Amino acid sequence: MSEGHDHPHTHPHPNQPDIEDQPFEYYQVMVEAVGELLIDKGVFTAAELRKSIEQVDARSPADGARVVARAWLDPAYKGRLLADANAAAAELGIDAGAIPIQVVENTEDVHNVICCTLCSCYPRLLLGLPPDWYKARAYRSRIVREPRAVLEEFGTIIPDDVELRVHDSTADLRYMVLPKRPGGTDTLGEAELAALVTRDCMIGTAVVEA
Amino acid sequence: MADGEGGMSTRFRRGDRVCVRRAHPPGHVRTPFYIRGHRGVVDSVAGDFADPEELAYGRDGLPRKTLYRVRFRQNELWPGYAGSADDSLVVDVYEHWLDPAEQKTEEAS
């Protein structure tokens, strides 16, 4: 065999641990217990719970990207989006939920980035589940205090003459960044524009590149 | 979103200078430590909501509280802030956490 692996195979290799090999944590137990109790009490069924989880899992940044592309192409739509993002998303058939989403627009003068220092508030119904780093203490504590250094680690350099504006959602609003439309995209249609818009562009840790 | 419409009286308006109370109550507090005692400007009125600090304990959160988006200058929040002097931070703050900036509280000085 190659790589010198020609000895009799008797020594153990470490297995990738199964989920049950990790410590079962307090909140995992709590989630299981509360879920089972609510089903036992008839508050909802197991199928309803599964459907609800599937609905959350089915959301993706593609929803937010559609909203962004439409706003780039239609100034009147952009106005409605900035005034009431939930209603503007509904125009495109996207259910953005009941929690108000505030869209913040990047311009020549302002670059926005979003975070939640207290927990992990995130516009899930437009962007899907948040990346792990968004929920990590490192991002939550550093993005408010040294946002330019954090953005540099994402490869995003914001010029000094552009105001960097961080939005910390603490409870009842969610934020989404409306990125700047890159140059050289005049001939692109809505779907092609949407394909340029990544999740991080709508968090504000990246800018859209053509 | 309606700027404080819906019959809810709002104590502050866009552009008002405000100071975040320097208080440390226990509980499900929605005002981050790093802005307590700091001055900012009301960026917008975000509407009114059942008080999340009460909802967290199974209470009804009424009366509803007005929520503001308050903008702070980064170089006033963080000593030695590395960035542009114009860099800012906007935080959602409930009305009961805000005083007019003119009425400087002794804790906030």
Side-chain angles (χ1 to χ4, degrees), chain A residues 61 68 72 104-107 110-115 122 127 131 133-134 139 143 147-159 162-166 176-182 195-210:
Chain A
V68 168
W72 283 345
V104 288
E105 182 186 13
N106 286 349
T107 66
V110 178
H111 178 90
N112 296 282
V113 60
I114 66 170
C115 69
Y122 187 76
L127 300 188
W133 56 257
Y134 183 86
Y139 178 78
I143 194 66
R148 287 176 184 268
V150 173
L151 292 196
E152 269 190 55
E153 291 168 22
F154 280 90
T156 302
I157 311 289
I158 304 301
V162 173
E163 174 189 337
L164 186 56
R165 190 178 292 169
V166 182
M176 190 188 91
V177 174
L178 173 58
K180 252 188 347 176
R181 180 175 177 173
L196 301 176
V197 182
T198 65
R199 176 195 70 199
D200 285 11
C201 298
M202 294 178 281
I203 295 175
T205 46
V207 296
V208 181
E209 289 163 3

Side-chain angles (χ1 to χ4, degrees), chain B residues 74-87:
Chain B
Q74 286 281 33
N75 58 13
E76 289 182 12
L77 286 180
W78 311 110
Y81 174 75
S84 163
D86 289 331
D87 286 358

